[in-house]
Amino acid sequence: MRNCFANTIAKLGEKNKNIYVIVADISPAGAMENFQKKYPNRFINVGVAEQTMIGVSAGLAMKKKIPFAYTISTFALYRPFEMIRTDICYQNLPVTIVGMGAGTIYSTLGATHLTQEDISISRSLPNIQVLTPCDTFELEKCLDFCVNKSKKPTYLRIGKAGEKIFSSKINWKFGKINQLSKGKDTCILSYGPIIRKAFDAQKLMQKKISIYSCHSIKPFDYLTLQKLFKKYKNIITLEDHSLIGGIGEIVQNFAWEKRYKGKIGKFGLNDKFIHFYGTHDELLNKHGISALKIYNYLKTS
C-alpha cells in the first residue's frame, strides 16, 4: 500500500498544485522520490519531529493547501496526538494523517511499532474521519476523496506492501459498507489488509460467505448495518485492532440497540501486549486470529 500511496499522490500532485506531502523521517523512494524531485517545495521532511509534521500540515491547511502527513502509523498518531487534537481537529482542518503499516504489520519490531489501539483513539476525536481501505483499489478511492471532496480532518489507516486486491469490482462510496463476496446466513465484516483471512476462511469452508469491507469506520454506515441484521443470522467481525473500540464494539453496541437476535462473533487483538517477534501471521495467531480459527467458529455457528 505504501507504493500505491506514493504512486497515487504523485499522479494527483501533477494535476493539483495544492497537494503537499509532509513526512517524518521517511526516506522517499519510487514515485515518492519522483514527487520530491519534481515538486521539491511541496515535499517536506521534518525528520524525527512528528509534532512539527502536524503543525506544518495544519498551517498549510489554513493556507488552503491539501496536506498529507505521512509516516509509520504509531508515530503518525500517538507521538503527536495533542497536536492532532488541538491543531487539526479542534480547528476542523482538512489534513489527512496517513498511518502506514497499521495494526500489527510491523510484527518483528515489537510494541513500539504496533498500532493496536489507533481506531479506538482516532474515533474518539471530534470532527475526524477514519478511513481504512482493505487494498490498493480502495486506497486510491480514499486518496481521491481526500483530495477532491473531503473538508474535514482524516485518519487514513493503510497497510505496508503486497496486499492482494479484493475490491476492484465495487462501486466505492465514502461512508458506505461494500460487499466483496455474496453468501447466505453468515457474513464477515472487516477492514484493512486483514480481510484476506476472511477469504482464506471462505476457501476452507468451500462455500460462499458474504464478506464486507467497512472502509469508512467514521462515519460508520449504520443504515447498511441495520439491513445486515435483518439478512444474516450470524455476523463475524474481523480486525487487526484491539477488541476495545473497534468494529466489533461498533457492531455489538448497535446490535443491542436494535435488538438483533442473531449471533455475533468477534475476532480482534487481545487487550494485552504480547512479547513476541515473528511474522505477521504468527503474531495474529497469538491473538487468536487465523483462517483456521475463523473456519472452526463458522462450522459451529
Side-chain angles (χ1 to χ4, degrees), residues 7-296:
N7 289 327
T8 305
I9 283 294
K11 291 177 182 177
L12 292 169
E14 291 178 5
K15 300 177 181 179
N16 193 323
K17 296 180 180 180
N18 286 322
I19 293 175
Y20 281 70
V21 177
I22 306 91
V23 304
D25 198 35
I26 293 289
S27 299
M32 191 64 76
E33 186 176 13
N34 295 335
F35 184 97
Q36 180 194 30
K37 289 179 177 179
K38 195 169 183 180
Y39 312 109
N41 294 330
R42 292 196 274 138
F43 184 91
I44 304 170
N45 191 340
V46 301
V48 187
E50 291 81 2
Q51 294 94 334
T52 301
M53 176 183 71
I54 297 302
V56 170
S57 299
L60 287 167
M62 293 176 74
K63 292 294 184 179
K64 308 301 181 183
K65 306 302 181 183
I66 306 172
F68 287 81
Y70 171 70
T71 190
I72 296 172
S73 58
T74 183
F75 307 121
L77 184 67
Y78 297 163
R79 188 170 292 172
F81 179 76
E82 181 184 359
M83 289 71 192
I84 293 172
R85 179 179 183 270
T86 306
D87 294 356
I88 295 176
C89 293
Y90 180 76
Q91 300 185 91
N92 201 22
L93 296 174
V95 175
T96 301
I97 303 156
V98 185
M100 183 269 293
T104 56
I105 289 175
Y106 277 101
S107 58
T108 59
L109 298 182
T112 58
H113 282 64
L114 307 183
T115 44
Q116 59 193 73
E117 323 89 346
D118 58 329
I119 296 293
S120 177
I121 291 170
S122 57
R123 279 183 61 220
S124 67
L125 286 169
N127 292 328
I128 203 167
Q129 302 163 151
V130 181
L131 298 177
T132 56
C134 72
D135 57 23
T136 55
F137 177 83
E138 284 195 336
L139 174 56
E140 290 175 357
K141 298 296 183 182
C142 288
L143 290 171
D144 182 73
F145 169 80
C146 290
V147 169
N148 295 307
K149 295 182 180 180
S150 179
K151 303 297 181 184
K152 297 168 64 69
T154 302
Y155 176 53
L156 177 57
R157 186 188 209 250
I158 70 174
K160 184 183 176 185
E163 293 88 359
K164 184 178 178 180
I165 296 177
F166 296 103
S167 64
S168 60
K169 296 181 180 180
I170 66 172
N171 181 23
W172 191 94
K173 290 183 179 180
F174 170 73
K176 294 295 181 182
I177 294 173
N178 284 318
Q179 186 170 28
L180 307 184
S181 175
K182 294 183 179 181
K184 297 180 178 180
D185 298 326
T186 299
C187 78
I188 299 178
L189 303 178
S190 187
Y191 59 88
I194 199 174
I195 206 167
R196 63 186 170 86
K197 291 197 175 293
F199 285 90
D200 291 341
Q202 181 176 250
K203 289 179 182 178
L204 292 175
M205 287 292 291
Q206 296 184 337
K207 71 175 185 178
K208 286 289 185 179
I209 300 168
S210 291
I211 300 173
Y212 292 85
S213 173
C214 303
H215 54 74
S216 297
I217 297 293
K218 184 184 178 182
F220 197 80
D221 186 4
Y222 288 102
L223 181 61
T224 296
L225 181 57
Q226 188 169 356
K227 293 177 181 178
L228 298 183
F229 287 160
K230 297 177 181 179
K231 187 174 182 180
Y232 298 103
K233 298 177 181 178
N234 299 303
I235 295 176
I236 295 172
T237 61
L238 170 64
E239 56 193 324
D240 189 2
H241 181 273
S242 172
L243 288 169
I244 299 173
I247 193 177
E249 278 198 356
I250 291 173
V251 172
Q252 193 170 52
N253 290 344
F254 195 61
W256 179 86
E257 181 181 328
K258 296 299 178 181
R259 293 183 172 84
Y260 173 62
K261 300 189 181 301
K263 186 177 181 182
I264 296 176
K266 299 188 296 181
F267 286 84
L269 304 180
N270 297 321
D271 182 28
K272 61 182 178 180
F273 294 112
I274 295 180
H275 298 274
F276 173 85
Y277 302 86
T279 68
H280 188 208
D281 283 342
E282 287 171 340
L283 181 55
L284 288 175
N285 190 58
K286 291 284 185 179
H287 279 278
I289 304 172
S290 70
L292 181 59
K293 289 174 181 177
I294 298 170
Y295 163 70
N296 288 334

